[in-house]
Structure formats: structure tokens, C-alpha cells
Amino acid sequence: MTTADFTADAQTILPELIKLRRALHADPELGLDLPRTQQKVLDALEGLPLEITTGTRTSSVTAVLRGERPGPTVLLRGDMDALPILEETHLDFASSNGNMHACGHDLHTAGLVGAAKLLSAHQSELHGSVIFMFQPGEEGYGGAKIMLEEGLLSAAGEPPVAAYAVHVGPGPRGVFATRGGPVAAGSNQLSVTLHGRGGHGSQPHQTLDPVPAAAELILALQSFVTRRFNAFDPVVLSTTRLSTGDGAINVIPESVELAATIRTMSHESLAVLEEGLPRVINGVAAAHELTADVSFEMIYPVTVNDPIETEAALETMREIYGVQRVAIMPSPMMGSEDFAFVLDEVPGTFIALLATPPELNASEAEWNHSPRVVFDDAVLADQAAALAAIAFQRTAR
């Protein structure tokens, strides 16, 4: 068979993939516990020659397809959870439960079901095995990490040699884009509490006022980022919370709390942050005779595409769709993705698929996580065929 067979087959199953996607979109669930979503996936996979297991700590679904020819194992991922966003798209199948598939995970899930159907139809020609990873809890819950801890990579009896995922986003419909090396930022959280001594606002000399120290600290954190890191290995630090509580206006507070999100593009930058941030914070606090509680937490590592696997995937997509529909991303995204946990263990690639409906201006389309973002589910055939073809060709190598 050729990769063109997958594109033709994908068109024949597109109506059922669209039906599944819209059912998922109308009934979104949050976090790690997605019982209705899980059941929809299990129903969609019924009758396929798959070995299926479900998670114990999450409502994950892991399905293994064993080809009839010898070869390695590869992994394909689709995330399933939604966001706590009130939908404003006015689609016929819009959610009405206060949650929304505003990041396209409904398409990712339906597209992965499509890849499973396409590869199952060619089981006799498939080399090796394919693990289909249906993952809950991508939106801040570390669902991929939990699935790894529950044995995802041993589902086929041997670890996969490569892993792939497709993620939709706004832009000209049907264009695939990725790059070798860092493709999405690591996400980290900083929390700080400055402790002083409160008092009357008219007598600041009798207090240890944490408020001006917090202002100084915010500027010190910005200076630390701009002076300690190479501009070509970017770090983005944004202080997003600052609170003195809800005391009276004429009271100097006992403490100030602040929090920041920090995005990184390398493990080296992360190491510098882990060592340097507490030192800067404690130094500023000590200069004001304050004390500081500091918490620095890595939420997601940097998503790093393997250059060899990425180039092979790009070549497969060029073969199927032509060079005009395959782009090299000029720079990484500063958003984060927990497929990074998988790519820390298995070489592979994370691919963007642009999916703005043609009747909308792609350059002005709403972005992921907007209550008004709209994706064209006609791309499901492309998504399913691309995943199937990449997996098929990789197992045959």
C-alpha cells in the first residue's frame, strides 16, 4: 500500500469522525475524570482488533494494534479533556454545561480514533505495533505523566521507538507545521510570600512594610531574567498575582503574596532558575528585614522534537499533501504541552494542524482557549491520515 491509501480511506470515514467530534464537543469534561468521554472512545473503537486497557488513576484509554509483520512499536497521542470556559460559538453542537473544548481536544480524540480505524484496516501490512494513547488531564493536570507512571510505554510489551501527536490551532485550514528541537515551552510556577510586620499606614517607620519590597522584587525578577539568560534561549517571566489580602486601606499588611508563570526553552535555563530565583528573592527580602517563603514548581518540561523523527514526519506529510501544505515553524511556541513528558522518554515529534474554517479570516481567528474559537472538523480526515501514515512508515523502517 501507499500513504495515499490512507488519505482516500480517511475521506470515507470522515462523516463518522465528524459525528464523534461533535458529540464530544457538546459534552465536554474536565481534568482526569472523563467517564462519558472515555465511554464514547470505547464505543468508537469497538470491533477493531485492539488490545484495550483503561487507567486506574484517570479515565485514560490505551489501545494496542499489533501488525502482522515484524517491526518496532510507535505511539500516537490524542488528549481528551476540556476547559472550564463558557462557550460563545453558537454552533449547533456547542456545549451548554459550562465547559468547552476550546483547545481542540475533541478533534484530537476523534482524529486518533480515525488513525486507529485506518491502521486496523491495514493490520496485515503493518509492521510492529501501534499504541494509541487517549489521554485525560492535559490542561494542567499532568495526565500524560500519570499514564506513563501506569505503564503506558510497556503496553505493547516493548517500549516505543517513536511518539507523535497532532494539535489543532488557528490558521489556514489543512496546513501542518512543526520543527526539530524545542517546539513548546516548559511551564513553571513561582509563588512567594514576603513576611513583615504590619501596622498603621500613618506610621510606616514602626512596621516592616512588605509592599514596597514586593514592588522591588517584581522588578528584580524581571532584571534577573533579562540579564542571566541568553536571548536565543528565551525565558519569559510574568508576575500574574499580587495580593495583600483585603484589609483596611489604612493598614500596612503583615505579608504580601505574589505568583508568576515562567516559560523556558531548555533544561539549562530551568536549572539556573531553580538556583537563582530563591537567592534573588531572599536577598531582596533580607534588604528590607523581611523573610520569604519561596515555592518553585516545574509544571511541564520543554517539549523537544527529535530532529530525525521530525524530518521523517515532515517528509511523510509532504508526500501525502504536497510541500505547500507543510511548513517549518520559525520559532517555538511559548505555550506548554504535557506531551513533553512522553517526548522526554521517547524520541518523536509534536505537530500543529491549522484548522480555521475557510469562511473566516485565518489571520484574525480566535486562538485556542478563547470562548469563541472555532475549528473546522473537515481537517479530521487529514489528521487521521497523517497520524496513520507517519506511524505506518515509521514501523516499516
Side-chain angles (χ1 to χ4, degrees):
M1 66 167 294
T2 67
T3 52
D5 295 327
F6 286 122
T7 60
D9 292 351
Q11 288 298 324
T12 67
I13 63 171
L14 179 58
E16 61 187 276
L17 299 184
I18 291 175
K19 182 178 179 181
L20 172 61
R21 179 260 168 154
R22 296 185 179 187
L24 292 166
H25 191 93
D27 187 23
E29 297 176 286
L30 305 180
L32 298 170
D33 187 22
L34 318 175
R36 299 187 304 278
T37 302
Q38 181 189 56
Q39 190 58 55
K40 290 181 178 71
V41 169
L42 293 172
D43 291 345
L45 298 177
E46 188 174 359
L48 300 180
L50 303 171
E51 301 168 13
I52 295 176
T53 57
T54 55
T56 56
R57 294 162 55 195
T58 75
S59 14
S60 63
V61 177
T62 301
V64 177
L65 174 66
R66 298 191 186 277
E68 296 183 8
R69 300 182 182 183
T73 296
V74 300
L75 181 146
L76 303 176
R77 194 286 301 258
D79 39 7
M80 303 192 294
D81 57 319
L83 289 155
I85 293 174
L86 185 63
E87 183 163 353
E88 298 177 14
T89 63
H90 308 296
L91 295 168
D92 292 342
F93 51 92
S95 166
S96 59
N97 68 5
N99 303 323
M100 180 184 174
H101 272 296
C103 203
H105 295 188
D106 50 337
L107 280 91
H108 306 165
T109 301
L112 187 58
V113 167
K117 289 177 177 289
L118 295 175
L119 288 166
S120 293
H122 295 278
Q123 184 181 21
S124 63
E125 302 154 90
L126 176 66
H127 294 259
S129 300
V130 180
I131 300 172
F132 301 94
M133 174 189 179
F134 292 91
Q135 178 210 317
E138 193 280 328
E139 297 288 355
Y141 294 86
K145 186 177 181 181
I146 295 173
M147 290 187 71
L148 289 169
E149 292 168 352
E150 292 192 339
L152 170 71
L153 299 185
S154 60
E158 63 178 16
V161 298
Y164 309 95
V166 170
H167 197 300
V168 297
R173 185 183 67 177
V175 173
F176 292 90
T178 190
R179 68 192 306 272
V183 68
S187 177
N188 313 278
Q189 290 184 1
L190 174 68
S191 299
V192 179
T193 302
L194 295 175
H195 298 281
R197 184 174 67 241
H200 200 285
S202 66
Q203 304 291 316
H205 62 287
Q206 295 181 349
T207 73
L208 295 174
D209 189 351
V211 175
E216 184 176 321
L217 176 58
I218 291 171
L219 295 178
L221 293 174
Q222 295 298 324
S223 296
F224 177 77
V225 166
T226 59
R227 291 298 176 266
R228 289 299 307 277
F229 297 97
N230 188 322
F232 296 100
D233 183 14
V235 172
V236 175
L237 184 152
S238 297
T239 301
T240 54
R241 292 182 183 175
L242 181 63
S243 174
T244 62
D246 54 1
I249 297 299
N250 63 349
V251 173
I252 291 173
E254 292 278 328
S255 63
V256 172
E257 297 179 357
L258 62 89
T261 181
I262 308 172
R263 305 302 167 117
T264 55
M265 280 295 169
S266 71
H267 298 299
E268 292 76 15
S269 293
L270 181 60
V272 173
L273 288 166
E274 290 176 322
E275 181 277 328
L277 287 176
R279 178 166 41 79
V280 170
I281 295 163
N282 286 312
V284 171
H288 292 267
E289 299 182 64
L290 310 176
T291 60
D293 295 331
V294 183
S295 171
F296 181 83
E297 182 181 6
M298 190 273 285
I299 307 301
Y300 291 141
V302 183
T303 304
V304 181
N305 282 350
D306 179 81
I308 295 174
E309 295 297 343
T310 300
E311 183 52 41
L314 285 166
E315 190 55 38
T316 297
M317 291 185 292
R318 293 184 190 109
E319 178 184 322
I320 300 173
Y321 299 111
V323 295
Q324 73 281 0
R325 288 184 54 189
V326 180
I328 304 297
M329 295 169 56
S331 60
M333 303 177 290
M334 292 312 293
S336 301
E337 166 60 55
D338 84 345
F339 191 57
F341 288 115
V342 176
L343 294 183
D344 268 0
E345 303 290 334
V346 182
T349 190
F350 180 73
I351 302 163
L353 171 57
L354 308 186
T356 296
E359 65 270 17
L360 301 180
N361 185 333
S363 65
E364 299 176 358
E366 298 275 352
W367 268 84
N368 297 39
H369 291 218
S370 164
R372 295 169 297 280
V373 68
V374 177
F375 299 116
D376 190 341
D377 44 25
V379 301
L380 285 170
D382 294 338
Q383 180 190 348
L387 285 171
I390 290 169
F392 189 88
Q393 292 204 344
R394 181 61 183 89
T395 57
R397 267 201 252 158

